[in-house]
Amino acid sequence: MPHDRPDLLRFASAAVDVHHHTQLAEEKALSRAELDTLHAHTSALFGLLDTATVRAREHTAPGGDHLHNARLRMWQVCEHLHDAYHAAPRADGRLPTREACASRLPEGAPGLSVCRRRTTISARVRQITTPADLHAPAPGLIRR
């Protein structure tokens, strides 16, 4: 980034840190709204890593490989947050049933923003990875 522009990532990181120390200080489970917001944040980080990976691979292959692996890990984080969202109690306190969770659509059709983000990211992951990437014990163990 050019030095004459504000470093927005630094501000975003500071905001996450402030949220962590102020809003999450209470000892209670995260609400579905907080999980949705956290998923939105990690989805944005996935997009940032995706762009950075494409740019790095144009200039330096080794750096691009590390960013590619980080991007895969971020996708995994997004997947787990999506699942945590659907496993969390609803506003009325009800938990999803085992059958609803097994159907992979515990809320009905994916009209929720968390599901739309997941679908968008999953489509991108299918474009940028191979089955070997996704089935490796940990991303980065298979060299391209």
Side-chain angles (χ1 to χ4, degrees):
M1 290 184 171
H3 294 288
D4 58 332
R5 287 195 252 161
D7 189 354
L8 295 179
L9 284 177
R10 212 172 295 202
F11 293 130
S13 297
V16 168
D17 194 45
V18 167
H19 178 79
H20 169 244
H21 291 292
T22 59
Q23 301 299 314
L24 299 182
E26 299 175 22
E27 294 192 20
K28 63 176 186 162
L30 290 176
S31 69
R32 289 166 71 89
E34 289 171 312
L35 287 167
D36 182 45
T37 302
L38 189 55
H39 186 268
H41 182 72
T42 56
S43 297
L45 285 173
F46 173 86
L48 179 65
L49 283 169
D50 188 37
T51 301
T53 302
V54 171
R55 287 178 54 194
R57 284 192 162 174
E58 291 173 2
H59 302 288
T60 170
D65 286 345
H66 290 296
L67 285 171
H68 172 74
N69 296 331
R71 175 177 57 182
L72 284 178
R73 296 278 179 147
M74 188 54 63
W75 167 70
Q76 291 171 335
V77 169
C78 291
E79 285 291 295
H80 287 294
L81 286 170
H82 173 263
D83 293 344
Y85 174 88
H86 286 297
R90 295 178 177 92
D92 61 7
R94 291 183 310 123
L95 288 171
T97 65
R98 183 177 299 252
E99 294 79 20
C101 287
S103 74
R104 307 269 310 158
L105 294 172
E107 312 279 336
L112 300 167
S113 58
V114 67
C115 295
R116 283 193 301 270
R117 285 190 302 269
R118 179 184 182 267
T119 302
T120 301
I121 291 172
S122 295
R124 178 66 181 145
V125 168
R126 285 190 296 276
Q127 293 173 345
I128 61 175
T129 59
T130 66
D133 285 336
L134 299 178
H135 295 310
L141 297 181
I142 295 178
R143 293 291 299 169
R144 291 182 170 256

